[in-house]
Amino acid sequence: MGAVKGVRAKRMPREVREQQMMDAAVQTFGRRGYRAASMDEIAELAGVSKPLVYLYLNSKEELFVACIRREAARLTEAVQAAAEPGLAPDRQLWAGLEAFFRHTAENPDGWSVLHRQARTHGEPFAAEVAAMREEIVAFVTALIAAAREGTPAAAGRGGELAGRDVEGLAQSLVGAAESLAGWANDSGGLTAKEAAATLMNFAWTGLGGLMRGERWTPR
Amino acid sequence: MGAVKGVRAKRMPREVREQQMMDAAVQTFGRRGYRAASMDEIAELAGVSKPLVYLYLNSKEELFVACIRREAARLTEAVQAAAEPGLAPDRQLWAGLEAFFRHTAENPDGWSVLHRQARTHGEPFAAEVAAMREEIVAFVTALIAAAREGTPAAAGRGGELAGRDVEGLAQSLVGAAESLAGWANDSGGLTAKEAAATLMNFAWTGLGGLMRGERWTPR
């Protein structure tokens, strides 16, 4: 991106202009909602003409799908990049949660598009988000499965923490993270780090441990 | 309801007929989706004429809102009735989770209306579900707050498990339950009891405890 610095708007490369349109679209869809957002508004915010927006993507629906895909890919990448395979299980989870809450806090419009707008305006949008969600659940499932290798849970009475249990735990964790991120962004009183710490304590220490006064801390 | 047994359909009291229409509407909306569901189909399934359905509720939209409200009230009541205040915190949570998963498993169409249909078709439906969700979060918040009374968590370093932490934990728990119920009903391979046990282990024992081979069991 550094290479285009100082280049005048007119001579901006296509991909930069496209990103600006997408940025404007995510902001507009995220803040005003899918129905209320207008292509005029998006074009104005992006500093381009409306025909140019339509030239790039044929319809408001297509533009919205493109926004969902871009934001889903960015969120998934942020989480996956954070969880280094070499770390201890709890550190991996902590790194993933921190990345998740940091990303959703720094991109509230993108998170609103994924968590609220894409789900509340029917198909094909809901299917796009469902696909991203499945990818994240699969990633968390693999993470929990890898974490239990070599632990008492893997060698326990008949290997109780079986595949289906692990996927159930992953579904629980992802649901908890979605819910908490929505609340943190709406209520505004919770930083990304605080949200990650709350969920880490919930998911790792558990309410039972918390009642006993235990806490999970990074160090 | 026992009193109307044997009474011919024609002479059925208004409230019974209305319940039949609502049952038919929940089933149709839950299985076919809000858009695809037709008033003809609902009337036929309820065994009444279409004008009668419109006489009862003016539009498909109003009928859908009535379905959301009925299903939300039933679910909330089921959860609240289960958690007896006299029980130990973990037993209360277990009772509430069992009731939640039993209710959503026994009423998959109602759960689909609340969890999927109402959220994916814009306002005013999403607002109806949001209101129910807030009520459940408030209930779980109160439950966790009451549970920590008299525990080391309440007397801990500066009363760490403060109000905001407790609400964050409640948001996490509710999100986890929603996610797991959706998965259990879709995948079909998990009984209500298994889903409740998975979430109880996740929420109470925590992943850290599970990795050490711990399990929460009803007795």
Side-chain angles (χ1 to χ4, degrees), chain A:
Chain A
M1 290 276 189
V4 300
K5 242 184 185 173
V7 173
R8 289 211 317 279
K10 273 182 184 171
R11 304 183 57 200
M12 199 171 277
R14 184 187 155 93
E15 61 265 35
V16 177
R17 207 187 274 277
E18 283 179 3
Q19 285 306 313
Q20 287 187 342
M21 280 190 244
M22 292 287 287
D23 289 342
V26 168
Q27 183 179 320
T28 309
F29 286 133
R31 294 183 194 182
R32 296 181 51 77
Y34 175 65
R35 294 246 169 85
S38 76
M39 294 295 258
D40 282 302
E41 202 178 346
I42 292 167
E44 200 187 320
L45 187 63
V48 300
S49 67
K50 198 159 91 167
L52 193 65
V53 179
Y54 279 108
L55 191 70
Y56 173 53
L57 282 161
N58 292 316
S59 63
K60 183 173 155 182
E61 183 171 302
E62 271 188 38
L63 182 58
F64 190 49
V65 169
C67 288
I68 296 171
R69 288 192 183 152
R70 188 185 81 166
E71 295 306 310
R74 287 184 174 181
L75 175 58
T76 310
E77 279 162 25
V79 173
Q80 293 183 344
E84 288 173 46
L87 297 175
D90 58 335
R91 307 290 313 197
Q92 268 192 62
L93 182 58
W94 171 245
L97 289 179
E98 253 203 311
F100 174 79
F101 286 105
R102 195 179 332 110
H103 188 88
T104 53
E106 284 171 1
N107 302 278
D109 299 330
W111 178 243
S112 169
V113 162
L114 292 177
H115 183 60
R116 192 148 301 140
Q117 296 306 322
R119 292 184 185 207
T120 54
H121 293 97
E123 301 300 351
F125 314 131
E128 291 287 338
V129 171
M132 172 200 73
R133 201 178 187 281
E134 270 174 35
E135 195 181 333
I136 291 193
V137 167
F139 176 72
V140 175
T141 300
L143 207 147
I144 298 176
R148 88 192 154 109
E149 294 302 317
T151 66
R157 291 166 285 165
E160 293 154 277
L161 214 54
R164 204 176 50 173
D165 295 328
V166 172
E167 190 176 347
L169 294 172
Q171 289 280 356
S172 303
L173 182 58
V174 169
E178 287 170 335
S179 175
L180 198 58
W183 181 67
N185 277 8
D186 289 349
S187 72
L190 210 65
T191 67
K193 201 130 195 161
E194 286 168 339
T198 294
L199 191 47
M200 190 66 197
N201 271 307
F202 179 67
W204 194 264
T205 310
L207 291 174
L210 295 177
M211 295 297 163
R212 291 191 299 270
E214 294 170 16
R215 293 291 180 282
W216 189 91
T217 50
R219 278 150 217 280

Side-chain angles (χ1 to χ4, degrees), chain B:
Chain B
M1 290 276 188
V4 301
K5 240 185 187 173
V7 174
R8 289 209 319 276
K10 274 182 184 171
R11 305 184 54 197
M12 201 171 274
R14 186 186 154 95
E15 62 265 33
V16 176
R17 207 186 275 279
E18 282 178 5
Q19 285 306 314
Q20 286 188 344
M21 281 189 244
M22 292 288 287
D23 290 342
V26 168
Q27 182 178 321
T28 308
F29 286 132
R31 295 185 192 179
R32 295 181 54 77
Y34 176 64
R35 294 247 169 84
S38 76
M39 293 295 258
D40 282 303
E41 204 179 345
I42 291 167
E44 201 188 320
L45 187 62
V48 300
S49 67
K50 197 159 91 167
L52 193 65
V53 178
Y54 278 109
L55 191 69
Y56 173 54
L57 283 162
N58 292 318
S59 63
K60 183 173 155 182
E61 184 171 301
E62 271 190 38
L63 182 58
F64 191 48
V65 168
C67 288
I68 296 171
R69 288 192 183 154
R70 189 185 79 166
E71 295 307 311
R74 286 183 175 181
L75 175 58
T76 310
E77 278 163 25
V79 173
Q80 293 184 343
E84 288 173 45
L87 297 175
D90 58 336
R91 305 291 313 198
Q92 267 192 63
L93 182 59
W94 169 246
L97 290 178
E98 252 204 312
F100 175 79
F101 286 107
R102 194 180 332 113
H103 188 88
T104 53
E106 285 172 1
N107 301 279
D109 299 329
W111 179 242
S112 168
V113 162
L114 293 176
H115 184 59
R116 193 148 302 138
Q117 295 306 321
R119 290 183 187 208
T120 53
H121 293 95
E123 300 300 351
F125 313 131
E128 291 286 338
V129 171
M132 171 199 74
R133 201 178 187 281
E134 272 175 34
E135 194 181 335
I136 291 192
V137 167
F139 176 72
V140 175
T141 301
L143 206 147
I144 298 175
R148 87 192 156 109
E149 293 304 316
T151 67
R157 290 168 286 166
E160 293 153 279
L161 213 54
R164 205 176 49 173
D165 296 327
V166 171
E167 190 176 347
L169 294 171
Q171 289 280 355
S172 303
L173 183 59
V174 169
E178 288 170 336
S179 175
L180 197 58
W183 180 67
N185 278 7
D186 288 351
S187 72
L190 210 65
T191 66
K193 200 129 196 162
E194 286 167 341
T198 294
L199 190 47
M200 190 67 199
N201 272 307
F202 179 67
W204 194 265
T205 311
L207 291 173
L210 296 177
M211 296 299 165
R212 293 192 298 271
E214 295 170 15
R215 293 293 180 282
W216 188 90
T217 49
R219 276 149 218 278

